[in-house]
Amino acid sequence: MHAIIFDIGNVLVGYDHAQTLAAVAASFDITPDDLHHAYRAVGRQFGLGQLQPAQVCDFLNQQFEASISLEQFATAFCAGLTRDDTALSYVNTLQVEDELFIGAISNTNATHVAWLDAHVPELNNFELVVMSNEVALLKPDAEIFELALELLDVPASHALYIDDSAENVAAAQSLGMETFVHTDWEATRLRIEAWCNGWRTAATAT
């Protein structure tokens, strides 16, 4: 078996971090810079699942002497997320391959996972989805890639990893995975097709 493992944000789903910052900052009536500095104290823990959305919301309310509800916080915190129907439709076509697993690894948090559950049901069809907050690991930690490979039962040499972060791509590549940095879907489709044709040709030759 072979596997293609995707990052989610800005690969399968659009994510505008600046838009999220602006929306959350507006909810608390502060500047995005003020929010950015405050969120740094809890962002990593949120991504590792060590803090839940209510705890992050409470922390920010205390920091800025506000009383934003959890629902208001969640709505603002997801403001930068959008479906990428073109990407999701293309990946769906890859899943008809009998010898190809499709997976995803995302640095995320419980609030964004809830949005994905509601708006991107296509992820339910993947063989594997690894969310950082659910496994207490963050990219580019090699362990999160090793976990994905173990769960898929696919050797690193049979896996292709695609991410918009060069740092994450380098971490996956260091384990022996084929990788490239995603910039746009026209280029990514060509790279995926070339990789698939490569292992199919090799399998036919043997």
Side-chain angles (χ1 to χ4, degrees), residues 58-82:
D58 288 345
F59 170 79
L60 294 175
N61 275 326
Q62 292 170 9
Q63 289 292 302
F64 302 115
E65 299 181 346
S67 56
I68 300 302
S69 71
L70 180 58
E71 183 179 1
Q72 288 173 303
F73 168 74
T75 298
F77 200 74
C78 295
L81 288 166
T82 54

Side-chain angles (χ1 to χ4, degrees), residues 6-16 78 80-88 91 104 106 112 115-117 119-123 126 131 164 182 185:
F6 295 93
D7 175 32
I8 294 179
N10 286 327
V11 178
L12 299 180
V13 170
Y15 179 60
D16 186 333
C78 295
L81 288 166
T82 54
R83 280 180 56 88
D84 186 334
D85 290 322
T86 300
L88 293 167
V91 173
S106 182
H112 283 172
W115 186 94
L116 292 168
D117 287 344
H119 295 89
V120 192
E122 290 89 344
L123 293 175
F126 287 19
M131 302 297 196
D164 65 321
H182 170 80
W185 269 100

Side-chain angles (χ1 to χ4, degrees), residues 86-151:
T86 300
L88 293 167
S89 177
Y90 172 71
V91 173
N92 187 57
T93 68
L94 296 173
Q95 294 183 272
V96 302
E97 296 281 351
D98 292 335
E99 297 182 351
L100 184 64
F101 288 146
I102 301 298
I105 302 174
S106 182
N107 282 356
T108 187
N109 53 74
T111 300
H112 283 172
V113 169
W115 186 94
L116 292 168
D117 287 344
H119 295 89
V120 192
E122 290 89 344
L123 293 175
N124 294 323
N125 298 324
F126 287 19
E127 278 77 18
L128 177 71
V129 178
V130 178
M131 302 297 196
S132 65
N133 62 299
E134 296 173 356
V135 298
L137 293 167
L138 284 164
K139 297 179 292 185
D141 188 332
E143 286 189 51
I144 198 167
F145 299 104
E146 291 170 340
L147 175 63
L149 292 171
E150 179 183 349
L151 292 173

